Amino acid sequence: MKVLGLILAGSSRSGIKELTKKRASAAVPVFGKYRAIDFTLSNFVNSKIKKVGVLTQYYPRSLMDHLGSGKEWDLDRKTGGLFILQPYFKNKEEIPVYKGTADAIFQNMTLLRRGDEDFVLIGSGDHIYNFDFTKLYHYHLLNAADITILTKECKDNKLINTYGQVVTDEDGRILEFHEKPSETISNRISLGVYFINKALLIELLYTSIPSGGKDIVRDIIQPNLKKLRVFSYNFEGYWSNIKKSIEAYYNTNMDILREEVRKELFYSNKIYTKLKDYAPPKININANIQNAFVADGTIINGTVKNSIVSRGVRIKAGAIIENSIILQDTIISEGSFIKNAIIDKDCKIREGKKVIGENKIVVIEKGTIL
């Protein structure tokens, strides 16, 4: 299939502001050695999509450093490959910024027009799931659809109204699309993945954006819902949006301690990430580890229970880590006690310090020394 993949890397409007102060939400670390974008990007590559554009503008340095030339995803190629797409100056009076998801794609229209792809697949870089998009492609063709949207039944009543909700007929055609309604209309939510005929997308963008349109849902899909054949593809597997809240980010990471989640995310299709020259983890004789996910480059002399320990972390003798996420190159000194916490990269917790989340998860920002 000839498909152009586009990944939206996230804006400044995030529910995990403590972790996105200096990085895009797509660049937030997950599961010890990965970044959030690794999952969507790997899904694209595993689905034989050879040309991928990443649209980013908010603190892009960390994301660009991680993606590099796209070598780890086999996207460092002469034909197709990986494109980092940022806003740029067109004239001195205009501030370079993406005004919305549709506007971001419109500003990179050259990428669409010059390629020979027939379809465009648009996804978000901060969603965690494993999916073969060839299934979506065949479903799209089978229904002679103009747009196909990946959807899922939502069982979390607390978060359901933070997502777009769709109402379908018995054939899966979308009759109504309500973007983050104040009251629950349907328990079927949009996962922010859109498969669309490229020529149609170009036409819709040229119709909408010059007249003030900005957003894919509000300005492209909703106004044309009755005119176009828009279908819902039901996704039944594990899926999580880490940027909704600190609790969502924390719970997603902790889910990797469950065997069924590990099997679904990592055993079916490979998830690729940037390689680093760390040694294997070193678990010394005095260490005590129970139900933990430990990445390469770590040195553990203390106790780790029900936690995620990222690359290059050092946990010294007498330190105790419980129900926590420790991100890259952090040092936990002797006698420290960490519980119900997220410790960001390059932090140093000094001897005997306690970091305990009582009623909610506590977050220690990047580079903090306590």
Side-chain angles (χ1 to χ4, degrees), residues 2 22 24 68 79 112 130 134 143 149 154 174 182 233 239 241 253 255 267 307 309 316 325 331 356 358 361 369:
K2 291 184 177 181
K22 294 185 178 180
T79 303
L112 276 70
N130 193 326
T134 58
N143 289 287
I149 301 173
C154 181
I174 296 177
S182 56
Y233 182 96
W239 179 89
N241 182 349
N253 276 272
D255 282 344
Y267 290 17
S307 296
V309 182
K316 299 188 176 180
I325 302 167
I331 299 174
I356 302 174
E358 295 292 350
I361 304 301
I369 299 176

Side-chain angles (χ1 to χ4, degrees), residues 306-366:
N306 306 317
S307 296
I308 312 296
V309 182
S310 303
R311 288 169 164 166
V313 170
R314 298 180 64 186
I315 300 174
K316 299 188 176 180
I320 299 174
I321 314 294
E322 292 184 5
N323 308 322
S324 296
I325 302 167
I326 314 297
L327 297 184
Q328 186 176 317
D329 294 331
T330 285
I331 299 174
I332 311 295
S333 299
E334 293 88 346
S336 301
F337 182 42
I338 314 295
K339 185 176 182 180
N340 301 332
I342 300 171
I343 313 294
D344 207 339
K345 289 179 62 176
D346 299 319
C347 290
K348 182 174 182 180
I349 310 300
R350 291 174 172 163
E351 295 85 349
K353 287 287 184 179
K354 294 184 178 180
V355 180
I356 302 174
E358 295 292 350
N359 299 317
K360 65 177 184 178
I361 304 301
V362 62
V363 181
I364 305 300
E365 294 182 12
K366 182 179 179 180

